[in-house]
Amino acid sequence: MDRQKNRPDHFSPEEWDIRCDLAALYRLVAHYRMTDLIYTHISARLPGREHHFLINDYRRMFHEMRASDLVKIDLDGNRLDNHDLGQVVNKAGFVIHSALHNAREDLICIVHTHTRAGIAVASQSCGLLPMSQHALKFYGHLAYHDYEGIALDTDERERLVRDLGPSHRAMILRNHGLLVGGRTVPEAFDHIYFLEKACDAQIAAQAGGNDLVMLPDETVRRHTADQYRHDEIPHYVDMAWTAALRLIDPEHSDVWT
């Protein structure tokens, strides 16, 4: 389906493409049960020096998100769209996402979740354990940020940026949940899918009551992490994204409107 044929005149083709991808990602996050009612957010930065970005209209559930529902805001939280004055932007979402979009120009898309497994691992002093292949995707590339309360204080932005650092694309928010960034929307989906799977596997293994087998060899851990960063990986990420889109049936849904 040509998504551009449904593009409203007030959106550029470039912005509409990003809106369509972001709306699809919201629906995929819902499909994989990573949602928390209307809470948590996924955002995408738009092209340009202004660092404008798209975030969800707080009135919508993730499974019903459409490209036209997304709200364009600036780094100060000001809404830039005037075609729907009823849209609502959540302040906590703005604080977290504006911090990272401003500081990390390499990260186009930011995903934040509050899943049961993610919160459980975020509440463990050990953090994510090197006990699965999924976990090793993030080995040596995972940041942590201590809980400071609901993210309404703009002062927290500098500490979020500091803790994520200049190169990490995934972070565990202690006692809170998970956060990932991607250089593309498909890459952000890949990161959150496998970080959630790693957390889910850890909690399931711990629930078994037996001693866990860790991957003790540092060389193996780092080798596996490096394998996830091979030059061919983005190609597979894009293939998985294209296949995943069929789960939300974009040919017959209203996601592109």
Side-chain angles (χ1 to χ4, degrees):
M1 178 177 181
D2 180 9
R3 59 174 68 170
Q4 288 291 337
K5 75 177 184 181
N6 293 329
R7 175 175 60 87
D9 292 339
H10 50 269
F11 296 131
S12 70
E14 295 79 13
E15 178 175 338
W16 189 245
D17 270 339
I18 295 175
R19 282 178 172 270
C20 289
D21 281 343
L22 186 57
L25 180 52
Y26 268 99
R27 294 196 180 199
L28 283 171
V29 165
H31 176 85
Y32 284 106
R33 299 181 181 273
M34 301 181 200
T35 59
D36 189 14
L37 293 177
I38 61 172
Y39 307 102
T40 73
H41 310 273
I42 312 171
S43 62
R45 193 173 66 248
L46 294 169
R49 298 179 179 178
E50 301 89 351
H51 289 80
H52 295 161
F53 64 96
L54 300 171
I55 200 164
N56 52 309
D57 178 357
Y58 215 41
R59 304 169 303 171
R60 296 277 184 183
M61 297 288 279
F62 283 21
H63 74 275
E64 60 184 358
M65 202 66 67
R66 300 172 302 174
S68 55
D69 291 326
L70 297 159
V71 188
K72 181 164 62 174
I73 62 175
D74 63 20
L75 292 175
D76 294 318
N78 299 309
R79 280 187 39 210
L80 303 173
D81 294 323
N82 56 16
H83 58 277
D84 185 352
L85 296 178
Q87 290 176 320
V88 179
V89 173
N90 175 257
K91 185 176 180 181
F94 154 72
V95 168
I96 292 173
H97 292 254
S98 65
L100 301 181
H101 282 304
N102 184 44
R104 292 286 302 274
E105 293 194 357
D106 58 316
L107 301 182
I108 298 299
C109 182
I110 305 292
V111 185
H112 172 41
T113 60
H114 294 163
T115 61
R116 180 171 63 175
I119 294 171
V121 171
S123 301
Q124 295 182 340
S125 59
C126 62
L128 186 65
L129 296 171
M131 52 153 283
S132 69
Q133 179 170 283
H134 284 3
L136 292 186
K137 171 180 170 68
F138 304 96
Y139 187 75
H141 301 277
L142 182 64
Y144 290 83
H145 175 70
D146 289 337
Y147 188 71
E148 299 186 21
I150 297 173
L152 300 176
D153 185 354
T154 54
D155 289 343
E156 188 177 356
R157 290 189 291 188
E158 63 183 68
R159 293 181 289 279
L160 282 161
V161 170
R162 176 201 66 200
D163 291 342
L164 182 62
S167 60
H168 289 332
R169 298 176 200 154
M171 183 159 64
I172 289 181
L173 306 177
R174 294 285 192 186
N175 309 99
H176 185 174
L178 307 179
L179 186 145
V180 304
R183 295 167 295 182
T184 64
V185 173
E187 185 179 73
F189 172 63
D190 178 84
H191 290 339
I192 197 62
Y193 178 88
F194 285 106
L195 185 55
E196 289 283 359
K197 283 288 188 180
C199 291
D200 190 51
Q202 179 170 319
I203 297 304
Q206 289 170 325
N210 293 318
D211 292 339
L212 302 183
V213 176
M214 298 297 151
L215 294 157
D217 191 316
E218 180 71 10
T219 301
V220 171
R221 294 181 186 183
R222 295 200 175 276
H223 172 63
T224 306
D226 289 343
Q227 287 178 309
Y228 276 111
R229 281 153 184 79
H230 191 276
D231 290 343
E232 294 182 2
I233 290 299
H235 174 63
Y236 293 113
V237 166
D238 288 342
M239 284 197 298
W241 168 258
T242 300
L245 289 179
R246 293 195 291 273
L247 295 169
I248 57 170
D249 196 15
E251 292 287 337
H252 302 98
S253 77
D254 61 350
V255 66
W256 307 144
T257 62

